[in-house]
Amino acid sequence: MVCKTMGDSGNRIASHAWKGDSHMLDSFGRNINKLRVSLGESCNMACTYCVTSIKDHIPDPNVLSSSDLLKLVSLLVQHSGITKIRITGGEPLLHRDLLGFIDGVRQQGVESIGLTTNGLNLSKLAVSLKEVGLDSVNISLDSLDAENFRRLGRAGRLERVLEGVEEALNAGLRIKLNMVVIRGANDHEVVDLLDYAIERGIELRYLELMRMGPLFQTEKFPLFSMSEILELIGKHYTWRKVDAEHDATAQRYWVPGGYFGIIPNESEPFCSTCSRLRLTSSGQLVGCLSNPTPTSIHHLLNQQEVASELNERVAHSIAFKEPVAFTGSNLGMSRIGG
Ligand code: SAM
């Protein structure tokens, strides 16, 4: 089936095609098969680059129950070519029915289920998360210095995150660490974090800062770029670039003892291979972080026949995807789930 829709974003026409029942290609040939599901905006941290204060995390009054959200996920898996799910937020480990939700997603028969967390509540949940079917966890960790951690995150204790990392390793979860590198704030910790990750056999990914939320249109954007990260690492490690999956957001590097990645949001945007769709906790689809115009699908919960309308809405949503580069947004990442 092939159809064309007109996106509201100017005159861009997005055509998309479902190959058989399982692949959905957009007009740029991107196979949109990854879904990020936000379980809610609540968070127990207030990272300086994500929000202006902890009060910015206003729970959405229209948040769906986890069983309704699960039904929407299942529709997207059945009808729209989604094969990989990542659970995010807000902070997903704060969600009361997280384990039930993962269990339900597991029963959809998807290829993989991942979760992104700040790790504060991970040590007590790691074993249950593994048991219920979670495959992998990305833990955000911007500093190994307790004071700096607190300065950047405005809340939470570093020690708890480090315990979470150990428990997740013991539970057999695949782990990645995410470090957002910010000039003048934690760039001096680039190598420390890599040492820490390599010692534990974990892949660390450096995230270039994105112009979102409080950083959108800021005059002094404290970007610490991919080339600067590589230069710093090069003083301590020999590194070599290796292949990454074609739709990976990270460029991947080998160093003696392990690998690391860099997600070069600013210096080498990867929108042309982006395969992600997002579902917010109130049942809105978001195709692109740069154009976070939501397309609602929650009314489909009450419909019998959903396939054609659902796919029309998915197509509308992905029509907003940028072809080449992220252009920034005033919406904070915790509102859409990254
Ligand atoms: N609470 C979870 C966590 O801390 O990982 C999940 C939600 S958080 C919004 C998802 C990811 O977005 C985190 O790794 C965070 O560091 C990243 N993030 C938030 N704002 C960002 C920005 N302006 N630039 C780059 N990454 C950002």
Side-chain angles (χ1 to χ4, degrees):
M1 171 167 135
V2 178
C3 56
K4 285 177 186 280
T5 58
M6 175 82 80
D8 288 348
S9 53
N11 61 1
R12 195 185 322 148
I13 293 177
S15 65
H16 59 277
W18 278 267
K19 294 267 170 122
D21 278 340
S22 56
H23 288 82
M24 183 174 57
L25 304 182
D26 79 349
S27 56
F28 298 99
R30 300 178 285 205
N31 178 14
I32 313 298
N33 64 346
K34 296 180 182 165
L35 181 70
R36 295 200 149 205
V37 186
S38 170
L39 291 189
E41 290 176 29
S42 301
C43 189
N44 43 2
M45 289 183 74
C47 300
T48 49
Y49 50 84
C50 189
V51 286
T52 53
S53 96
I54 202 139
K55 291 185 191 144
D56 284 6
H57 297 301
I58 306 161
D60 187 334
N62 300 315
V63 71
L64 296 177
S65 67
S66 57
S67 62
D68 279 351
L69 206 53
L70 188 58
K71 278 185 210 152
L72 293 181
V73 170
S74 121
L75 293 179
L76 289 161
V77 171
Q78 279 172 42
H79 300 291
S80 312
I82 295 298
T83 57
K84 297 180 178 178
I85 309 274
R86 172 160 297 279
I87 298 164
T88 176
E91 175 46 45
L93 298 192
L94 295 178
H95 195 275
R96 270 183 299 155
D97 191 28
L98 174 64
L99 297 175
F101 183 79
I102 295 173
D103 189 29
V105 176
R106 180 44 75 207
Q107 287 171 34
Q108 308 298 317
V110 291
E111 269 173 43
S112 69
I113 311 175
L115 177 143
T116 304
T117 173
N118 60 32
L120 283 174
N121 289 350
L122 188 55
S123 64
K124 57 181 185 219
L125 280 167
V127 171
S128 313
L129 287 168
K130 176 70 184 171
E131 280 172 1
V132 87
L134 187 74
D135 296 305
S136 65
V137 59
N138 288 358
I139 305 169
S140 303
L141 181 59
D142 297 331
S143 173
L144 286 172
D145 172 278
E147 266 180 43
N148 207 25
F149 176 89
R150 186 89 188 177
R151 200 173 302 130
L152 282 163
R154 296 198 185 101
R157 279 193 301 118
L158 170 67
E159 208 183 308
R160 278 178 64 187
V161 182
L162 301 184
E163 281 165 19
V165 172
E166 300 306 328
E167 289 305 324
L169 281 173
N170 292 338
L173 286 163
R174 268 190 284 126
I175 301 182
K176 282 188 182 147
L177 291 177
N178 285 346
M179 174 191 192
V180 180
V181 190
I182 306 156
R183 179 176 305 284
N186 64 353
D187 53 320
H188 60 288
E189 295 196 59
V190 159
V191 176
D192 293 348
L193 256 295
L194 185 57
D195 293 341
Y196 170 85
I198 287 175
E199 273 166 26
R200 286 159 184 78
I202 302 174
E203 195 159 321
L204 170 66
R205 291 168 344 151
Y206 300 101
L207 276 63
E208 274 188 1
L209 202 56
M210 295 173 83
R211 292 175 193 274
M212 291 193 71
L215 297 174
F216 186 52
Q217 293 181 331
T218 185
E219 262 177 41
K220 284 197 174 165
F221 183 58
L223 173 71
F224 196 80
S225 69
M226 174 161 72
S227 58
E228 291 174 291
I229 294 170
L230 289 173
E231 195 184 324
L232 260 187
I233 293 174
K235 291 182 183 158
H236 301 261
Y237 287 92
T238 307
W239 57 259
R240 193 176 64 236
K241 193 167 176 194
V242 296
D243 286 342
E245 280 181 38
H246 80 97
D247 63 346
T249 50
Q251 301 201 5
R252 208 163 172 242
Y253 298 86
W254 167 91
V255 281
Y259 293 87
F260 69 91
I262 303 181
I263 305 189
N265 296 301
E266 287 280 326
S267 18
E268 282 191 36
F270 39 81
C271 298
S272 64
T273 56
C274 177
S275 52
R276 292 180 192 169
L277 181 65
R278 298 169 177 84
L279 178 65
T280 70
S281 54
S282 56
Q284 316 258 351
L285 290 175
V286 173
C288 181
L289 291 179
S290 287
N291 291 308
T293 313
T295 308
S296 181
I297 58 165
H298 77 264
H299 63 286
L300 298 180
L301 288 167
N302 307 316
Q303 271 180 222
Q304 292 292 326
E305 290 296 320
V306 297
S308 71
E309 190 176 343
L310 176 67
N311 284 333
E312 219 169 81
R313 300 226 161 202
V314 170
H316 178 77
S317 175
I318 62 179
F320 286 98
K321 278 179 114 45
E322 288 290 341
V324 182
F326 174 74
T327 52
S329 159
N330 59 2
L331 215 65
M333 195 80 98
S334 71
R335 302 289 304 276
I336 356 179

